[in-house]
Structures are given as structure tokens and as C-alpha cells.
Amino acid sequence: MENVVILGTGAAGLTAAMYTARANLNPLIIEGLQPGGQLTTTSEVENFPGFPEGIDGTELMAKMRQQAERFGARFQYGQVASVDFQTKPPKIILDDGTTIPSQTVIIATGATAKYLNIPSEQKLIGRGVTSCATCDGAFYKNVPVAVVGGGDTAMEEAIFLTRFASKVHLIHRRDEFRASKIMVERTTKHPKIEVIYSTVVDEVLDVSKNEVSALRLKNVKTGALSTLPVAALFVAIGHQPNTGPFKGQIVLNEVGYIIADNTKTNVEGVYAAGDVQDPSYRQAITAAGSGCMAALEAERYIQHQHG
Ligand code: NDP
């Protein structure tokens, strides 16, 4: 039986890994399809304390991993197929059938980008429709592109894309942004970014090539339709927590986030950290902070079990 199994290798999972490894708990970390988590899809991280010049997201995660490995954290590739939290100890079942019983589990599976769910969007994912500017921005040099969304992610993506695109159209469904003031200012002042307010994307058009060629836009105030020629659509409208395997095993809120009290879930010995339990802050530093909290809680729980 394991002492601690950590699900996820984002900022929360890796911080929990470092703390539990330093506490000599010999943690096992299950690494899924996106090693390093969401930070590996951002470019420059300017707001992680300790890096006054900023740091590349992938580099920051590589450093966190090294730090966890230095203290003996073990990593294993795997997708969580299901869990059994009704038994003691709780069990993790991977998609290859491996069952891992563990005294404690720290869920740090993060969140995934949402899409618009308009019919033409799905078939064009990877053919001009994407949710990751850092991953795909460089494919669209000297052509117009569009970003949809009004939060910090949309602003960040739009600014990043100005490095490549000839023009970045930022499409937002309201006439006011949700993003922070500083990001809104940078975006709206940027000479390459044009904001289209009170507008939604009705359809992604691919004319003949099976690649994005334009967007059909609808002004939500007037109902007017228009066509915007672009080579790519970057969707930046928020995230969905990765809690599929935990449904019915642990208390989730109405949109699927794990409900945790100082990282403690409703199941003894099972903790949640990072974006999977945080719909409101969603920062690398808050994820790392909650990973630390979960690790300390797990350590206390194990100590208590052994009297
Ligand atoms: P948010 O939830 O903050 O914003 C999502 C945006 O997408 C909103 O403007 C929303 O519109 C819009 N939207 C949602 N659904 C649709 C839809 N179906 N069609 C059209 N538009 C839609 O998500 P973010 O990912 O931007 O940010 C999440 C959190 O992460 C925030 O707390 C943010 O501050 C933080 N963050 C911080 C960064 C930083 O500090 N460097 C960088 C990136 C994110 P509406 O406003 O009308 O609801």
C-alpha cells in the first residue's frame, strides 16, 4: 500500500509531491496526458513570486518537477479510470487495470479549456480551432486570427498572438471585460488587436479546404450577422474541472468542482488541491499553495493513523 498517491503534475500536484517527499512519505505521482499541467500551455509567467523577470511556464514546471524528484518523488504514467473511495484505504484504478490502494490521495487533476460547442467548431479542432495560443500561435504568421472570450486568458492569448498574426480580433459577448484592468488596458491599447464587443461566434466557416477560413459573427444587441475572415479561432472562455472519475465518489459542486475545506474532501484521507477545487482564483501560486496544504494535511492524517 502507498502512503500518498498524487493525481496530477501541475503546480498543485508537484508542490504536494515535493512536500510529501521531503516528509519521507515516498509519494507516487500519477502523470496523465498533460505533464506539467496548464502552465505548460502559457508563455511567460510574470506573476509567480521569485521570478522578477518572469519565467517560461514549461521551464517553471520542469523546475518544480526537479525539486520534487530531488527528494525522491516517484512518477508513473497513467490515466485514472475510476476510484473507490468507499473502502479504506481508498483505491485508484488506472486505465490499464492497475489498482493502487493508498493511505491518502491528493487529487490535483486540474481543469481543461472549454469550447463554444457550436457544430462547426468540433470538426475544425486542430484545423484552425484551438484553445492554446502558446501551442498553436506560431502556425499563423502574417494572417488574421480571432480570440473569443473576455477574461484574463483571452487577453493574454490575444497579446501573445500579436507576435505572429497580422491582426488579432478579440470577440467578446458583452461590452465590458471580466479581465483585470492591467490586461484590459494592454489589450485595448495594442495596435494589432481589434476588439469586437457584444458579439458571439455563430459558426466557424471552412469554405472548401476543411480549415478555418472565416467566422460568422452575430451582434447580440442588434442580431446583425457578419463574416470575419480569419485563419484561426482561439477559444479562451474558461475551464472545466477534470473530475469525471470522481463523480459519485466525492462531493462535487453543481459545475463539477470538488468541494474541499482547506483541501479536505468529504472522504477521510482524500484531499484536493489546485484548479480541480478552485473555481475562483486559479493561479499557479494558489494551486501551489493548496498543494502544500494538502501535503501537510495528508502527513498529519498518516501520523494520526499511526498514533
Ligand atoms: P474567465 O471565466 O475569467 O473568463 C471567461 C470569459 O469567457 C468570460 O469573459 C466569459 O464571458 C467568456 N465566455 C464564457 N463562456 C462563453 C461562451 N459560451 N461564449 C462566449 N464567451 C464565453 O476565464 P479565464 O480563463 O479567462 O480566467 C480564469 C481565471 O484565471 C481568472 O480568475 C483569471 O483572472 C485567471 N487568469 C489569470 C491570469 C494572470 O493573472 N496572468 C492569466 C489567465 C487567467 P462573460 O464575461 O460574459 O461571462
Side-chain angles (χ1 to χ4, degrees):
M1 181 171 68
E2 299 288 342
N3 297 317
V4 188
V5 170
I6 297 168
L7 309 177
T9 55
L14 291 177
T15 305
M18 179 184 67
Y19 268 79
T20 49
R22 275 193 91 233
N24 276 338
L25 291 173
N26 193 25
L28 175 66
I29 296 95
I30 305 299
E31 183 164 50
L33 290 175
Q34 195 181 31
Q38 287 179 72
L39 270 195
T40 58
T41 67
T42 28
S43 45
E44 198 73 356
V45 181
E46 287 182 340
N47 50 11
F48 200 86
F51 299 93
E53 310 301 329
I55 181 167
D56 175 78
T58 305
E59 191 187 340
L60 177 61
M61 299 320 293
K63 283 180 188 291
M64 283 193 198
R65 188 186 170 123
Q66 275 167 22
Q67 203 169 349
E69 281 173 336
R70 181 181 150 202
F71 299 109
R74 295 170 294 141
F75 290 79
Q76 176 181 332
Y77 173 77
Q79 289 289 313
V80 178
S82 61
V83 294
D84 185 356
F85 291 164
Q86 316 303 321
T87 56
K88 228 176 171 189
K91 291 182 188 65
I92 308 296
I93 298 105
L94 300 183
D95 59 358
D96 66 358
T98 315
T99 298
I100 310 171
S102 180
Q103 281 195 80
T104 61
V105 177
I106 297 176
I107 302 171
T109 46
T112 300
K114 284 199 272 195
Y115 280 93
L116 295 166
N117 280 329
I118 47 178
S120 51
E121 176 190 52
Q122 289 301 312
K123 71 166 187 181
L124 290 168
I125 288 178
R127 297 171 179 275
V129 174
T130 166
S131 66
C132 178
T134 336
C135 319
D136 300 325
F139 298 130
Y140 302 99
K141 287 200 177 94
N142 304 316
V143 288
V145 301
V147 175
V148 60
D152 282 321
T153 305
M155 309 288 131
E156 223 175 52
E157 303 242 314
I159 292 168
F160 179 74
L161 289 166
T162 60
R163 297 187 196 180
F164 314 102
S166 56
K167 180 118 212 147
V168 180
H169 300 276
L170 177 60
I171 302 161
H172 183 37
R173 64 183 176 184
R174 291 189 295 139
D175 52 15
E176 218 174 285
F177 284 121
R178 177 179 297 274
S180 57
K181 251 186 171 165
I182 181 169
M183 294 299 281
V184 172
E185 213 175 282
R186 271 192 215 170
T187 309
T188 51
K189 280 190 178 155
H190 200 291
K192 267 190 169 180
I193 299 175
E194 189 184 312
V195 182
I196 306 175
Y197 293 99
S198 305
T199 295
V200 292
V201 180
D202 238 12
E203 196 182 344
V204 188
L205 305 173
D206 61 341
V207 195
S208 57
K209 295 184 301 180
N210 207 19
E211 262 180 14
V212 174
S213 59
L215 305 175
R216 171 108 60 233
L217 303 182
K218 184 176 169 186
N219 184 302
V220 292
K221 286 188 173 163
T222 64
L225 295 174
S226 59
T227 304
L228 179 73
V230 291
L233 172 65
F234 291 83
V235 183
I237 61 164
H239 294 80
Q240 187 68 39
N242 298 324
T243 48
F246 314 116
K247 274 184 196 132
Q249 294 284 330
I250 204 168
V251 177
L252 307 177
N253 77 5
E254 66 287 353
V255 288
Y257 284 89
I258 295 175
I259 296 181
D261 176 14
N262 281 331
T263 74
K264 286 186 215 133
T265 71
N266 66 309
V267 180
E268 245 193 33
V270 178
Y271 306 89
D275 287 9
V276 75
Q277 51 87 59
D278 173 16
S280 56
Y281 302 108
R282 306 194 52 257
Q283 301 300 298
I285 187 66
T286 50
S290 66
C292 160
M293 288 161 66
L296 295 176
E297 289 295 346
E299 190 184 338
R300 279 177 200 155
Y301 176 81
I302 290 168
Q303 239 163 29
H304 187 74
Q305 296 295 300
H306 297 279

